Amino acid sequence: MPIDEWHSAEKRKSANPSQWKRNVIKKSIATGKGYLNYKGREIGERKTGPDCCCKKYKCFVQINEEDRKLILENFNKLEETYVQTVYLGGLIKTENVEKERSKTGTGKKRSCSHKYYIKLGNRNIQICRNGFASIHGISKKRVDNVAKEYRDPTVTTPAQSNRGKHQNRPNRIPSEWVSKVDSHIRSFPRRESHYGKNKSSRYYLSPELNIKRMYELYLKKHELGLEASAKPIVSFDFYYRYFKQNFKYSFGSPRSDTCKKCDMLSNKLKDKTLDNDETQQIQIEKSLHQAKADTFFVDLKEKSQLALNNEECEVLTFDYQQNMPLPKIPTGEAFYKRQLWAYNFCIHSAKTGIAHFYLYDETIG
């Protein structure tokens, strides 16, 4: 089957787990916001439940509407379910049963009883279970589940949830195929920047390559024997993600002519921990540095113009131009070979407008 049927040539975006549907739903539940569930049904935001009409504690009388609203807001600010469970557990007190009241003698005996409290300032106000659930906008079942976590008096924090942490992964790609992907990516010759080897740990592959082309070469090398109707064991998405997550590789040559100080100051300005004074100081330093650079180029332009009119003046500029891999051919086998790099050193005369080039390969220097 043609390769293009199994993957698209569109540019892949980096994964953003916070935007995944299940994570959006999970966070919305924890923070009490409205959301669409998996069936597309709209679920409203968390609200205070109905009055429990408790005659013993008079829960909704002891805690007025303003306090109930504040309690719910603070509860929703605890954006993780586990943190909320710890908070609720701290408001539940577990005690031994003082008196058994089983009428028939066959009923299930309770091993403990629970008391529920609401903390307002320095006061701990005891309320009933139904009122506790209503004020926090949660179900009675959740209250019972939290209480179960604290039945043992030695327990100080609830156990972490193990949901989603099983090892049953039927669609996981076998490790032997992952190793093939890894070795295939490493089989391509890589190189460092010719200009700034000490500036970056990133390596560069041939400019004739891209991830799509590499994946096509992988299929030809490792999965060519599959039936025409068979789906590749390693998908393009997996190959792409593995490449991005495990290799600091780019294609072509780096932007090595960028100014080191400009890059440093630009990165500093991205620091969100800086205060206004520090940010302003860095911006001033960057503006001053760029002004000096502009002055240099203005001076270069003036001197170049002077060289045209003055026989005793000459302006020479020196520059390394783009490096070139040799041979430059699209044959698949060539990508696995170590290519020879050619360097082009240019000297330009402002007086004559003539440029002289010194072309040499890496075997010379």
Side-chain angles (χ1 to χ4, degrees):
M1 184 172 287
I3 294 172
D4 287 339
E5 293 188 20
W6 293 115
H7 65 85
S8 168
E10 296 178 0
K11 184 177 180 181
R12 260 57 177 180
K13 296 181 179 179
S14 57
N16 187 2
S18 63
Q19 299 299 320
W20 294 351
K21 185 175 182 179
R22 64 173 180 269
N23 290 338
V24 171
I25 292 176
K26 189 184 297 183
K27 186 170 183 179
S28 297
I29 292 173
T31 57
K33 297 178 181 178
Y35 63 94
L36 291 176
N37 65 9
Y38 292 104
K39 294 183 179 180
R41 190 177 67 181
E42 186 175 355
I43 306 298
E45 63 180 9
R46 181 186 289 139
K47 297 179 180 179
T48 302
D51 188 347
C52 59
C53 301
C54 176
K55 295 181 180 180
K56 182 177 181 179
Y57 298 111
K58 298 181 180 179
C59 308
F60 275 55
V61 175
Q62 290 192 84
I63 304 171
N64 59 43
E65 183 177 355
E66 185 178 347
D67 289 335
R68 293 197 297 269
K69 186 179 295 185
L70 181 62
I71 291 169
L72 185 61
E73 287 179 359
N74 291 334
F75 181 69
N76 287 336
K77 289 179 182 178
L78 305 175
E79 297 185 353
E80 294 183 12
T81 303
Y82 179 78
V83 178
Q84 291 177 351
T85 301
V86 174
Y87 164 77
L88 294 173
L91 299 175
I92 300 175
K93 185 178 180 181
T94 303
E95 296 180 345
N96 294 326
V97 177
E98 295 181 358
K99 187 176 181 180
E100 298 287 350
R101 291 188 175 85
S102 179
K103 296 180 180 179
T104 61
T106 58
K108 187 176 180 180
K109 296 182 179 180
R110 293 188 300 167
S111 59
C112 59
S113 62
H114 303 288
K115 293 182 179 180
Y116 306 90
Y117 295 87
I118 291 293
K119 190 170 184 179
L120 286 178
N122 296 325
R123 295 186 301 153
N124 285 329
I125 303 173
Q126 185 175 358
I127 59 176
C128 69
R129 165 176 164 269
N130 293 348
F132 187 80
S134 289
I135 289 173
H136 290 97
I138 58 178
S139 65
K140 299 171 189 176
K141 182 178 180 180
R142 184 175 179 185
V143 175
D144 292 340
N145 288 337
V146 173
K148 286 179 183 179
E149 295 281 351
Y150 290 90
R151 280 183 177 177
D152 187 348
T154 61
V155 174
T156 56
T157 56
Q160 290 277 6
S161 173
N162 289 321
R163 288 177 291 183
K165 297 180 181 179
H166 59 84
Q167 297 301 317
N168 180 24
R169 309 290 180 188
N171 295 323
R172 175 182 289 173
I173 295 177
S175 58
E176 59 182 290
W177 287 97
V178 176
S179 298
K180 288 182 180 181
V181 171
D182 187 90
S183 61
H184 181 260
I185 295 174
R186 294 181 188 277
S187 67
F188 293 96
R190 63 182 187 178
R191 61 182 291 271
E192 295 177 300
S193 168
H194 177 69
Y195 295 96
K197 294 183 179 180
N198 297 325
K199 294 180 183 178
S200 173
S201 59
R202 184 170 292 276
Y203 291 91
Y204 296 87
L205 301 177
S206 169
E208 301 297 322
L209 276 176
N210 54 50
I211 301 180
K212 178 185 175 182
R213 179 64 174 146
M214 292 173 66
Y215 178 68
E216 292 172 347
L217 293 171
Y218 160 81
L219 292 181
K220 290 179 181 178
K221 186 174 182 179
H222 293 287
E223 300 195 27
L224 190 61
L226 295 177
E227 297 180 4
S229 60
K231 185 177 180 179
I233 297 174
V234 175
S235 67
F236 175 72
D237 285 334
F238 178 85
Y239 192 96
Y240 180 90
R241 283 186 283 108
Y242 191 87
F243 180 90
K244 287 291 186 182
Q245 294 171 3
N246 296 280
F247 294 90
K248 287 186 176 181
Y249 286 179
S250 294
F251 301 98
S253 298
R255 292 181 58 190
S256 49
D257 287 337
T258 58
C259 175
K260 182 179 180 180
K261 188 166 185 177
C262 285
D263 292 341
M264 179 189 69
L265 295 175
S266 296
N267 288 331
K268 283 186 177 180
L269 288 173
K270 294 178 183 178
D271 188 354
K272 296 181 180 179
T273 61
L274 296 176
D275 56 32
N276 292 334
D277 292 338
E278 291 174 325
T279 301
Q280 187 176 8
Q281 183 65 33
I282 295 173
Q283 288 175 339
I284 292 174
E285 185 180 356
K286 184 178 180 181
S287 299
L288 180 61
H289 173 69
Q290 291 176 339
K292 289 181 179 179
D294 292 339
T295 302
F296 166 78
F297 285 108
V298 170
D299 186 57
L300 176 62
K301 186 176 181 180
E302 291 177 353
K303 294 295 191 296
S304 298
Q305 188 64 36
L306 178 63
L308 292 174
N309 303 322
N310 190 338
E311 295 182 356
E312 296 181 355
C313 179
E314 173 65 290
V315 175
L316 299 177
T317 55
F318 306 87
D319 185 33
Y320 268 107
Q321 295 188 324
Q322 181 69 53
N323 300 337
M324 297 173 289
L326 299 175
K328 191 173 182 180
I329 53 177
T331 306
E333 288 75 9
F335 294 126
Y336 300 106
K337 306 297 183 182
R338 173 71 168 86
Q339 289 180 293
L340 183 69
W341 284 91
Y343 308 130
N344 190 18
F345 181 65
C346 174
I347 304 174
H348 179 264
S349 170
K351 179 182 286 294
T352 63
I354 298 175
H356 297 273
F357 300 94
Y358 176 53
L359 185 65
Y360 65 100
D361 61 58
E362 59 185 316
T363 62
I364 298 176

